[in-house]
Amino acid sequence: MYDIIVIGAGVSGCAIARELSRYKIKIMVLEKALDICEGTSKANSGIVHAGYDAKPGTLKAKLNVEGSRKMKALSRELDFSYKQNGSLVLCFDEKDRSKLEELKRRGEQNGVSDICILSRNEVLALEPEVGDKVIAALYAPTGAIVCPFGLTIALAENAAVNGVEFQLGTKVEGVHKAASGYQVKTNKGNYETKIVINAAGVYADELHNMVSKEKMKLIPRRGEYLLCDKLAKGIPEHTLFQLPTALGKGVLVTPTVHGNLLIGPTAEDIENKEGVETTVEGMELIREKAALSVRQLPLKQVITSFAGLRAHGGEDFIIGEVEDAPGFIDVAGIESPGLTCAPAIGAYVAEMVKNLLSPSLKEEFIAQRKGIPSMALASDEERQKLISDNPAYANVICRCEMVTEGEIVDAIRRPLGARTTDGIKRRTRAGMGRCQSGFCNPKVVEILARELGVDESAILKSGEDSWYLLEPEGEEKL
Amino acid sequence: MKKDLVIIGGGPAGMAAALAAYEKGVKDILILERDKELGGILNQCIHNGFGLHTFQEELTGPEYAARYITMIEEKNIPSMLNTMVVNVQGGCPCRITAMNKGQGMFQIEAKAVILAMGCRERSRGALSIPGYRPAGIYSAGTAQRYVNIEGRMPGREIVVLGSGDIGLIMARRMTLQGARVKMVAEIMPYSGGLKRNIVQCLDDFGIPLKLSHTVTEIHGKDRVEGVTVSKVDESLKPIPGSEEYVTCDTLLLSCGLIPENELSQGAGVRMDDVTQGPVVNARLETTVSGIFACGNVLHVHDLVDNVSRESAEAGEFAADYILNGERNWGEPVRPKIPAKSKCTLPADRDTGSQLICIGCPVGCLITAKRKEDGSLIITGNTCKKGEEYARNEMTAPVRTVTSMVRLAGEDQKVVPVKTQAEIPKGKIDECMKEIRATVVSAPVRVGDVLIENVAKTGISVVATANIG
């Protein structure tokens, strides 16, 4: 019998699990994918929003500002990439100036500190390459960027170190009320638990509807992105949002914590909860809209495009115990600014659980987590030290991002280690560079097979059927 | 560590530069190579067609590399393998930071540096092909490495996008290994590869080349399940209504090469937007003192023979710089970029009498007509080889087969091979069956007979690389 089963190992599920791992309770996280951070959490803008967007009084507003305030300290505690680069909301039309002021008032009401409106010249002083149509901007110095995989994986690893069980490749097929709590049916067996936390992303409505008469409907809202080479010229320092215009919601142009340029997203409501394909129309729309923000976008240096699905519920997040299903807590509709909110969502849901279970704190809770050392970011002295401790740190596998065998092996061997090439990519950046794994893919597949003691044909990209190589027997049959 | 000349990259460019500098009197040379052996990309280019200019004979990639490696060894020019250069700074001296498992991170001071890192392939992302991002999308070179170096097959049913030579060669390579290549789609109205490769890699195996077609969507969430191929108009835009769904588990991309210049840019050399390589003067000197560049780092070459020639010049210029000091830099000189190959086979060609010669990259259109007495009149050839080719093609067509043979043991998985002479075209299947069923043990030297009398042709299959 578990005290808590969290369904979904995205950023919300992992943040909640990590927060609850402070207490003497038995927790399990169930995830249908073969790795953590495989859904919405892996394909988003990677922004720590300052908090002026959400309507005052909403959960979004409260958790955004809290999350934004917690993120920096958390990035130090759990060792993931975070950079406070400040954000600008660009205004392109005098007629829209009032909207900019409205946004500022909203931010102040939500408790966002230091926001101000800048004239075109003041904007130019911060970002010399902004578009010619920019007339003013709302400046939020507390705006920041974060590595969404880094954050999610750090939370999960730390939760695991503190005793949380993770069951990957485990799909929940049913949730039923039991004598005391719930029975959770999965493809890998059934589990009993006192409390269920439903953090299943775009599938949270299906889980909710298994236990409640009040039906929920989430809409997968697809956002497509383009990512440009680090070496591209004209990458802005700040995150550049666009004030919505008559033409609709804008797109953002932002550096990533790793120095790439990210532009997007589109916002398209679709039916398919797995519909993460990119489209010609989407990519064109991004190019067109982003051109407003920055004069010369290095669009020739696009290295990849991708799409993510945001779980759109209503105007606000849906977080709380389901009225007709006590002990079943929804964490649903976590669309933007969900990533920013994650640390606050963790604390918020932990508070609910405390009220239900009154658990006591663990004395042996380990708050700190050390990430995989990065040779690319290390100083020469640090590099020497890493190599002298382990020569595999001198064997460069991914030349675009300078990721070494040492880092890849660490990614496999650590708690909740990588089992797929995408898992390696999100933990180490091998394959994230300009050649998009053209050179390193065979080497990463080889290292994974060696470390896991399997044939290379068993190595997957991410999903169950995402094989790279035929089995030797299959080869003979050709 | 101090050296007169450090060469970054031990492929055809780096080796030719090293040899030429040595001949000019600079003996204190070090080649830094990131792979486990010298030879660069040639090691995985196991097909033939190399060396016609440099050695006046047709060699496979590994054989071409082996000849240079032997020369390097004869002159005792040292190289460090499995060594990655992480930073280069020009000046006097130049400073190179590199690392490897044995020595960790270390610095080398050199009087001059030659950049010879080669190029890389354009990726799917750079092509902005919409759709899912499943496994099974490989650049042609990655697939080539899997098949020819690792001895593994990356798929069963293949669509190739892009008809550059690597794409054409890989279409044949995958077919020989038993995969089914459904088509080669090319967005341009002509192929980017050589005519001889269209003939011997596609036509020989009945693989359709779809000009003015491109992949407009990738299907399959985990693994590629199919692609949508569409016809494009003159402005290369897909024509609505022309979409065709092609089932496949693998998409190979052969859509262009890009010089690899991260180190060059780190060193602050000025770049040329046209060549995508460093700006150089007539002595192949970059804009940073002491740093030279040659080979595919400078611009993407069509033939390895041209890489060797240009790189030998770079080696000589670097030697002159080391021995006689810096000269006035002068004017930038853009290297001559070969006109992009734009091949189409004449569409109205009577395939019964009009032949494309595969004897060399020119690809002459030869007419062979049979007289009443049965003898052949051959016209259109520009050399004797053409006549011989046409005669064979009209009577008993022959081909050289290149492939790889499995090695027993762990370290190196396969050894590249070729038929020592051409074999009857009709025997290719049988020949491949024998090759695929063969396992040999290292050591193996170039020319070692691995299969005698393959497919009862009287011809041997020989190794084309030195292993062990």
Side-chain angles (χ1 to χ4, degrees), chain B residues 161-429:
Chain B
L161 175 61
S163 64
D165 285 311
I166 316 170
L168 301 176
I169 298 277
M170 279 313 291
R172 176 178 63 182
R173 192 73 196 93
M174 299 298 281
T175 308
L176 287 177
Q177 288 301 121
R180 187 156 164 241
V181 179
K182 296 252 179 127
M183 66 166 70
V184 174
E186 167 59 60
I187 194 167
M188 304 307 286
Y190 45 81
S191 163
L194 298 169
K195 285 181 197 168
R196 67 189 308 207
N197 285 335
I198 301 174
V199 172
Q200 63 185 357
C201 297
L202 303 188
D203 293 359
D204 274 4
F205 301 94
I207 300 167
L209 170 61
K210 299 267 236 177
L211 297 175
S212 297
H213 280 75
T214 193
V215 171
T216 47
E217 192 170 352
I218 295 169
H219 307 273
K221 194 164 183 241
D222 275 2
R223 174 79 194 195
V224 175
E225 289 167 10
V227 295
T228 302
V229 176
S230 305
K231 195 169 172 28
V232 299
D233 61 19
E234 289 83 10
S235 56
L236 309 182
K237 288 260 179 281
I239 300 169
S242 70
E243 299 87 357
E244 179 192 354
Y245 183 90
V246 185
T247 310
C248 60
D249 60 24
T250 305
L251 175 64
L252 295 191
L253 304 173
S254 172
C255 300
L257 301 168
I258 307 162
E260 208 174 46
N261 274 292
E262 287 77 11
L263 283 176
S264 327
Q265 278 166 286
V269 310
R270 203 192 314 151
M271 299 293 294
D272 182 334
D273 284 344
V274 174
T275 59
Q276 293 186 282
V279 171
V280 289
N281 64 12
R283 295 188 308 281
L284 299 173
E285 219 174 346
T286 69
T287 53
V288 173
S289 189
I291 302 183
F292 295 75
C294 60
N296 284 344
V297 134
L298 197 51
H299 66 96
V300 175
H301 292 61
D302 51 353
L303 296 176
V304 70
D305 301 77
N306 295 337
V307 167
S308 298
R309 194 174 53 213
E310 176 189 85
S311 305
E313 287 174 18
E316 290 175 9
F317 289 129
D320 174 68
Y321 173 92
I322 291 164
L323 299 170
N324 305 316
E326 195 159 3
R327 295 166 195 268
N328 177 23
W329 197 83
E331 292 292 307
V333 177
R334 182 172 289 160
K336 272 210 188 86
I337 307 170
K340 231 185 150 194
S341 172
K342 290 185 182 181
C343 291
T344 46
L345 302 186
D348 50 356
R349 178 168 64 110
D350 167 16
T351 47
S353 65
Q354 290 183 300
L355 309 164
I356 306 294
C357 181
I358 63 169
C360 82
V362 177
C364 295
L365 178 65
I366 305 177
T367 306
K369 285 213 169 112
R370 207 171 277 282
K371 283 201 291 190
E372 275 178 21
D373 65 357
S375 62
L376 284 169
I377 306 175
I378 293 167
T379 52
N381 57 309
T382 49
C383 74
K384 265 201 79 168
K385 236 200 237 163
E387 192 187 324
E388 194 190 328
Y389 170 74
R391 202 167 293 282
N392 282 337
E393 209 63 5
M394 293 301 285
T395 51
V398 290
R399 297 286 185 270
T400 299
V401 174
T402 57
S403 186
M404 46 84 183
V405 162
R406 281 186 196 286
L407 283 170
E410 285 292 294
D411 214 22
Q412 191 93 19
K413 288 146 192 154
V414 291
V415 54
V417 297
K418 69 175 181 186
T419 53
Q420 201 162 24
E422 291 163 322
I423 62 163
K425 206 168 136 182
K427 292 273 192 179
I428 293 178
D429 268 0

Side-chain angles (χ1 to χ4, degrees), chain A residues 125-137:
Chain A
L126 289 179
E127 286 294 345
E129 291 302 318
V130 291
D132 296 333
K133 288 195 172 159
V134 173
I135 56 149

Side-chain angles (χ1 to χ4, degrees), chain A residues 243-309:
Chain A
L243 199 61
T245 65
L247 291 170
K249 197 174 170 288
V251 297
L252 63 86
V253 174
T254 186
T256 68
V257 278
H258 301 104
N260 296 90
L261 173 71
L262 181 68
I263 57 180
T266 54
E268 186 190 352
D269 290 348
I270 60 172
E271 290 292 322
N272 180 2
K273 291 187 172 183
E274 299 289 325
V276 291
E277 74 270 29
T278 53
T279 63
V280 179
E281 299 77 27
M283 290 194 270
E284 267 171 21
L285 193 70
I286 297 168
R287 286 165 191 265
E288 198 180 296
K289 283 188 171 181
L292 262 182
S293 295
V294 179
R295 237 179 292 164
Q296 286 204 320
L297 280 170
L299 291 173
K300 274 191 179 165
Q301 281 165 284
V302 169
I303 57 172
T304 192
S305 53
F306 61 91
L309 302 178

Side-chain angles (χ1 to χ4, degrees), chain A residues 226 229 231 272 274-280 283-284 287 302-307 375 380-381 383-384 387 391-396 398-400 402 404-405 425 434-439 441-443 445-446 455-457 461-472 474-478, chain B residues 34-35 41 82 84 86 97 99-107 117 119-121 123-136 138-139 141-142 145-146 150-156 177-180 216-218 221-223 225 237 249-250 260-262 265 273 404 406 413 436:
Chain A
L226 297 174
D229 197 330
L231 291 177
N272 180 2
E274 299 289 325
V276 291
E277 74 270 29
T278 53
T279 63
V280 179
M283 290 194 270
E284 267 171 21
R287 286 165 191 265
V302 169
I303 57 172
T304 192
S305 53
F306 61 91
M375 281 293 277
D380 281 359
E381 293 72 35
R383 285 176 180 172
Q384 286 290 20
I387 295 168
Y393 279 92
N395 182 19
V396 176
C398 165
R399 46 174 103 153
C400 303
M402 201 177 138
T404 64
E405 186 187 347
K425 181 168 86 172
R434 60 190 67 84
C435 91
Q436 287 287 299
S437 82
F439 285 116
N441 173 271
K443 295 181 180 176
V445 168
E446 190 185 341
D455 183 72
E456 290 179 12
S457 55
K461 178 176 188 284
S462 57
E464 300 274 2
D465 201 25
S466 61
W467 54 279
Y468 283 108
L469 297 169
L470 298 187
E471 296 168 8
E475 221 172 276
E476 278 158 25
K477 276 188 218 132
L478 285 176
Chain B
R34 60 188 156 205
D35 220 326
I41 209 73
N82 297 310
M84 186 66 123
V86 294
T97 312
M99 55 192 203
N100 62 32
K101 273 185 167 180
Q103 283 133 303
M105 218 170 63
F106 55 94
Q107 279 215 340
M117 296 89 73
C119 59
R120 65 184 156 83
E121 297 172 280
S123 71
R124 179 253 173 115
L127 299 167
S128 292
I129 306 171
Y132 285 96
R133 304 198 306 147
Y138 299 96
S139 67
T142 308
R145 184 184 171 95
Y146 268 128
E150 311 293 339
R152 300 301 299 248
M153 279 296 277
R156 295 181 186 92
Q177 288 301 121
R180 187 156 164 241
T216 47
E217 192 170 352
I218 295 169
K221 194 164 183 241
D222 275 2
R223 174 79 194 195
E225 289 167 10
K237 288 260 179 281
D249 60 24
T250 305
E260 208 174 46
N261 274 292
E262 287 77 11
Q265 278 166 286
D273 284 344
M404 46 84 183
R406 281 186 196 286
K413 288 146 192 154
R436 288 174 62 195

